[in-house]
Amino acid sequence: MFKRGGRIASSTRRALIILPIWAASVVWLWSWWFSRTRAANLYLFIPLTLAIFYEYVVVPSAFLFFILKAKAPKKRRPLLGKKVAVVTPCVPAQESMEIIEKQLKAMSEITYLHDSWILDEGGNKTIKQLARQYGVNYFTRKGVAKYNLGTYPFKAKSKAGNINAWLDKVKRHGYDFFVQLDIDHIPKPEYLDKTLGHFRDMKVGWVQAPSVYSNLEHWTARGSAEQEQGLQGPLQMGFYSISESPVIIGSHTTFRMQAIREIDGFQPTRAEDHLNTLALMGKGWKGVYLPEIIAEGDGPETLNAYLSQQYAWSFSMFQILKTYSLPHLKSLSLKQKLQYIFIETWYPLWSLSFCVMFLVPIAGLLFNTSAINSTNDDFLFRFSPAIISILLMWWAGRPLFQPKNIGLSWRGIVLHVIRWPVALAAIASAGLGRVKPYQITPKGKFLRNVPTVKLYRPFLLLSILSAVSMLFWVFRYGKSETNGLLVFATTNLVTMLTACVVDLNIRLRQVRFNPKTFKKYWLKPVMAVSSTMLVASIASITALSSSQQTLYALLAPRPTLTAISPQQPKDISNIPPQLLTDDELATELASHRFVHNGQVLPSIGLHNPKAPLPDTEPYIRHTFVDWREDRKLGEELLITLRGGNTPLVTIEPKGELDGAKLLNDIQAGRDDQIINKFLNVIGGTDSTVYVRFAHEMDLANVYPWGDQDAQSYIAAYRHVTDMAKSKGIKNIKWVWGPGGTAGAFAYYPGDDVVDVIGTTMIYDLPSFNAYQFSFYDIANNRLHLLGHGKPVWITEFGAGNTNPDYQKKLTEEAVAQYKEYGFAALIYINIPDSNLVNGPNYEFSDAKELIQVLGLAKTPKLVETANEAPKINPLAQAETDRQKPYLIVSLPKQ
């Protein structure tokens, strides 16, 4: 625990205050997230859960832990009489002479007696002259065959190869210690006075200090510095405290020569600094982290440089994880192993997490599905404490951050969010074993380059992908419970575009406008960014405008009844149900009185969630609702009743994959809160509502509650009906809805809780080898449901559209004959089967044609009685055809 002068440091005090807040926010979020009813689509829910858990639990918890463990070393007087070298490698082709001269001057001004060396990869005469001018020793391996090999230790065009060549060259000089400085990291005169004292401990092999940037006027350098504050402060101090092994950062480090020679020089990888750390630890050496700024460098001054840097780091770290880590980790202590597994897995896990969080909204919009069952309000309500706690952690670590003169801004946030595609591409390249050339961050005049379309391409493509998914959702689905994903897709789109727009704007402002130069260098990137912005704007406006619920949630608070003047009652009859407050929705539901007791009841129905129907005669409007979505249930009921139609609602008890547990939980009362909510909505209207609960229970491998113990199902079903009875709800007509198999009546819950028997009767051409069944062939296997004293509805009738002519013919036949065989109603399901890849599709391509086929313009009427018997009951004929196969295809419900 970090202390100053015997007192607990401010960072520790802050962290101790935040710790219980953070723990409470984690419990608050994940107790809700892992509730049995939360998962909507497991293919999206599972990866999203892992991504959010890593990004919002694992990483923040580790950060808070290291704040609490942070430690600074005691001050030490420098060792005297030691022979020390200060070296800096340079690549003249990538680094300006101005930067090189600045470093040579700074090295010569270090106060501790030392030798300065510049290691020139290019053999540049100007650099050699400058070195002589500042009293710096000059070394180049250019033209020396043994120092320019294809492999390490003297690999050509590599930083490690350059350093190792120098180490071999000066092995007779007897240096005790040496400092390795990147060419742009300028040391302060007291550099060696600050570091050498810590080598009094003979086990110390290296001393690391913060690697910080001084050119913060550039937005990418400033953003990169903000990202690095956590590493350069709490994390490094925590690593030092826990395992005495802070990470070596190649920008500048002081080494014990004996330790480096013991590991045979700088290690064979692009990220030689990190592998140096592992190799030294494996040999029993330890490091010290000195949290003082004793050198400052140049951060990436353009987006090109920043992304190039991120690519190189991601590639190298994954290369080490894949190729080099395991042999070294075997020799480390448990603390060291855990520490370095966390460090080396950060890039792949972090980038994958952000990739998942970016793609889930896109997938949800394209397939009209959600990862979780939640409203946007509820999601934000649960997530907000975790976000606030993470921001408080940043505040807790502030006293430890380096440099101390900057705080978190939009720059660091934007760069953090957008770098994952580059990091992921680097990791993929490293995973595939691709060889990348030696890559350094350009400095000085080499930064003044014009952006290219290639630079912005990943972010523009991802923006377009988000925009396309939004537009696709608008024109394919229009409005559904997945519209909340528009908010997240829009946020991702805006973030990706922001980096391109900001970078392009800043660069344009730095150059003098010239038409020829603009056309040659700037036109393409400007056009690429501008056109993407146009597409993004169209997508955002179109999507938000088409989704009234989302637009309303984003732009205005929900209206309340208290805002309505008693003298001027608000007319809500024409307001879409999605825009009503809960109170207004309940009020209008209660105003509808359309009770079918002895009155005319439609006998033709339709499930058509894709689009509203044109004006028709009243029909049975069939909807499917997740039992957790009581708000959606109310909206669907109101839409049905406003149209003067009869509501048939299939309520699906989703959320639990273990069917036996689900049924046991229902009958044991553990789901009463969910049941109460949807019963209250139904009971809130005086209209008759036909409720089909937990349908197709006799079918296997379709729904969790299907093909379970019959008595357990019956007990669960009756528990729901008993709850309705105990609440005094009298407007429900219970529809028991088996698939229609021969053994269906084993699940029959009793005459007192069944008003209608509903069955599934669907056909798809490919499923039956192109044999074109008649309606009688299909209905024959459901005739055994007749004659039980209850009306029998065909609650799901569908004809596959593989052959549109036959689809129409079979549907016309069903409409003409269903009553003849004793069925009281026929309800068409105008949807595709989304459970199967390239599965059956029962949609009519033309909704008007379907309405005509169903005869909804002149719907035949049926007088409902409690015990209506079929007019014709050809059970004898059915018995002779009993050997025909059952024609049941299960469907997912929207």
Side-chain angles (χ1 to χ4, degrees), residues 489-506:
T490 304
T491 302
N492 290 337
L493 181 155
V494 169
T495 305
M496 288 293 166
L497 267 180
T498 297
C500 303
V501 172
V502 168
D503 185 70
L504 187 60
N505 177 58
I506 290 174

Side-chain angles (χ1 to χ4, degrees), residues 102-118:
K102 185 178 179 181
Q103 179 65 290
L104 293 174
K105 181 176 183 296
M107 292 166 63
S108 68
E109 292 174 350
I110 294 176
T111 55
Y112 192 97
L113 185 62
H114 69 284
D115 293 340
S116 295
W117 288 84
I118 185 164

Side-chain angles (χ1 to χ4, degrees), residues 565-620:
S565 169
Q567 288 75 26
Q568 296 179 341
K570 182 179 179 181
D571 181 10
I572 61 175
S573 60
N574 293 319
I575 298 177
Q578 294 82 6
L579 299 186
L580 298 176
T581 66
D582 291 343
D583 288 342
E584 289 171 340
L585 182 63
T587 299
E588 193 179 351
L589 279 174
S591 71
H592 285 273
R593 299 177 181 276
F594 193 63
V595 183
H596 293 297
N597 285 324
Q599 299 181 20
V600 175
L601 174 70
S603 60
I604 289 290
L606 182 62
H607 172 56
N608 188 59
K610 185 175 180 180
L613 291 175
D615 293 335
T616 62
E617 290 292 326
Y619 63 97
I620 300 171

